[in-house]
Amino acid sequence: MLSVVNADGTTETGSLIDDIVREGARRMLAAALEAEVDAYIAELAGERDEHGCRLVVRNGHHQPRKVTTAAGTVEVKAPRVNDRRVDEATGERKRFSSAIPPPWCRKSPKISEVLPLLYLHGLSTGDFVPALEQFLDSSAGLSPATVTRLTQQWQADHTAFGERDLAGADYVYVWADGIHLRIRLREARSCVLVLMGVRADGTKELIAMADGYRESAGSWADLLRDAQRRGMRAPVLAVGDGALGFWKAISEVFPATRHQRCWVHKTANVANALPKSAQPGAKKVLQEFYNAEDRDHALTAITAFEKAYGAKFPKAVKKITDDSDELLAFYDFPAEHWIHLRTTNPIESTFATVRLRTKVTRGAGSAAAALAMVFKLVESAQQRWRAVNAPHLVALVRAGARFERGHLVERPDPLAA
């Protein structure tokens, strides 16, 4: 390979280092293709016709084609094979097919993975060609039509996800939230209903996702009943905000499940009932509730809050006292899990990325396409979700073990004595 190198280290096709990488990739690919064909022919050297002639021999090379790879675009000139064997079952000629670049391949699988990730994380379809052509030395396979085909596949993936069997997945804890996004759903006031869970091994997983009208009880009940129909067991604890629709629905579908209200949402609700001057001090007091050593200390802090704010701001205090049982439910579970159970942050943090993507797209064309795009975003984020602390304790919670002050009680007190 001879290249004219300019004073700044560039060549006619880019930089010298890029040219070297591409040429090295081309030579390695050519050698791999030759070795693959040689191995195929050597393996079938004993296959001969009635005249003793080999049935599988080399037959020159195919026309060269360009393939987009992570190293750039390289030219592929694959060797041809003349395979005269006949498949006894079908009566058709057998054909050699390379496992390195299949006949239809125009870009490597790695590039195929990059395209949807770039689209999901903010790059619009019209920006693909100018952005990636500089890196890949080609615009092949980077047209907006590529993304259109991807969205169709995403819709099929979302449909399959919504129909999968849940009988083998045991969700001990679940988080539920309705996320309002700037995407085109069925109704003008629709939102995305999301249900996440913790399996018995401590790993987090997306359970279900659908669009619902105003987080209504009917929409949540439809989602929960569908999950139940597909084999989902009643979770031990459900975590959500103050949306009455979800709590009504889960009480109907899974009446044995305990309720835990999200402290982040509750803090915001209480602050909205207070004047701005009183909000900073009140928020510090509220933190003492969910960061307390145990339930008893939390109840003591609530009593102090009621005395300090009850006379002037009864509405704000009532928001805490009326829901104290559901706000402090997490104290009956392992202390290692408290940080996970007292808020809906697992859903909120994941949907920060979703909001970024939907803000860029400004609508996904249809309800199905919008939900499919959101699903693929969450599916991508799911790979980075970490298990809950002390995952071995989740199975004990499902088994009905009792925890006091966050610690496992080995046996009832009378027996312990």
Side-chain angles (χ1 to χ4, degrees), residues 288-320:
E288 296 179 6
F289 301 167
Y290 57 82
N291 288 326
E293 182 179 347
D294 52 42
R295 177 190 288 269
D296 293 339
H297 285 81
L299 289 172
T300 301
I302 289 177
T303 301
F305 176 76
E306 186 175 7
K307 291 181 179 179
Y309 292 88
K312 292 184 178 180
F313 313 112
K315 290 184 179 180
V317 173
K318 190 176 178 63
K319 291 179 181 293
I320 295 294

Side-chain angles (χ1 to χ4, degrees), residues 24 60 80 94 102 127 145 207 276 282 289 318 346 354 379 402:
R80 295 176 60 183
K94 293 185 177 182
D127 293 332
I207 303 173
K276 289 186 178 180
F289 301 167
K318 190 176 178 63
V354 177
E379 186 182 55
R402 189 163 59 94

Side-chain angles (χ1 to χ4, degrees), residues 160-388:
F161 171 80
E163 296 174 351
R164 77 195 192 287
D165 184 19
L166 297 177
D170 183 14
Y171 302 106
V172 180
Y173 303 133
V174 297
W175 296 278
D177 204 354
I179 308 298
H180 296 265
L181 303 169
R182 295 180 181 179
I183 58 178
R184 188 177 304 173
L185 298 176
R186 292 192 183 96
E187 301 287 346
R189 297 190 179 184
S190 289
C191 65
V192 180
L193 305 181
V194 184
L195 196 66
M196 290 173 55
V198 176
R199 297 172 66 110
D201 62 358
T203 57
K204 299 173 186 173
E205 187 173 278
L206 178 67
I207 303 173
M209 189 184 72
D211 62 327
Y213 182 71
R214 284 186 172 182
E215 297 190 63
S216 66
S219 297
W220 274 115
D222 288 343
L223 182 145
L224 293 172
R225 287 195 186 99
D226 179 68
Q228 184 185 53
R229 176 186 58 81
R230 290 185 282 126
M232 178 179 169
R233 294 179 59 186
V236 177
L237 180 72
V239 186
D241 60 17
L244 297 179
F246 171 72
W247 298 116
K248 180 179 179 181
I250 199 169
S251 296
E252 293 177 358
V253 181
F254 297 121
T257 299
R258 295 190 60 184
H259 301 177
Q260 168 64 49
R261 293 290 179 88
C262 172
W263 270 102
V264 171
H265 288 86
K266 179 58 71 173
T267 300
N269 291 338
V270 172
N272 289 336
L274 294 170
K276 289 186 178 180
S277 59
Q279 290 180 8
K283 288 181 180 180
K284 290 183 179 180
V285 174
L286 293 178
Q287 290 178 1
E288 296 179 6
F289 301 167
Y290 57 82
N291 288 326
E293 182 179 347
D294 52 42
R295 177 190 288 269
D296 293 339
H297 285 81
L299 289 172
T300 301
I302 289 177
T303 301
F305 176 76
E306 186 175 7
K307 291 181 179 179
Y309 292 88
K312 292 184 178 180
F313 313 112
K315 290 184 179 180
V317 173
K318 190 176 178 63
K319 291 179 181 293
I320 295 294
T321 56
D322 285 358
D323 297 331
S324 60
D325 289 342
E326 294 180 340
L327 285 169
L328 305 180
F330 71 93
Y331 281 116
D332 295 333
F333 295 87
E336 293 86 346
H337 297 171
W338 291 354
I339 190 173
H340 304 288
L341 301 179
R342 59 197 180 201
T343 71
T344 56
N345 280 351
I347 290 181
E348 293 291 343
S349 59
T350 296
F351 271 81
T353 303
V354 177
R355 288 190 175 93
L356 171 64
R357 177 60 236 163
T358 53
K359 183 178 179 180
V360 173
T361 56
R362 296 179 183 177
S366 69
L371 280 174
M373 186 178 69
V374 173
F375 166 69
K376 295 304 288 187
L377 272 169
V378 177
E379 186 182 55
S380 175
Q382 185 173 247
Q383 300 175 5
R384 301 186 296 274
W385 293 348
R386 66 179 184 87
V388 297

Side-chain angles (χ1 to χ4, degrees), residues 21-94:
V21 170
R22 279 193 290 269
E23 178 62 17
R26 186 193 66 78
R27 292 185 181 184
M28 292 181 65
L29 182 57
L33 291 172
E34 293 288 344
E36 183 185 34
V37 168
D38 289 343
Y40 182 81
I41 294 175
E43 182 181 356
L44 300 172
E47 299 282 343
R48 298 177 182 268
D49 61 14
E50 62 273 13
H51 303 293
C53 297
R54 288 188 176 185
L55 293 176
V56 183
V57 295
R58 295 187 61 129
N59 188 23
H61 290 79
H62 291 283
Q63 290 294 323
R65 72 177 189 270
K66 292 184 177 181
V67 177
T68 303
T69 71
T73 300
V74 297
E75 187 175 83
V76 175
K77 192 174 183 180
R80 295 176 60 183
V81 175
N82 183 11
D83 194 337
R84 294 187 291 115
R85 295 176 302 152
V86 177
D87 190 327
E88 296 180 357
T90 63
E92 297 179 354
R93 285 273 299 272
K94 293 185 177 182

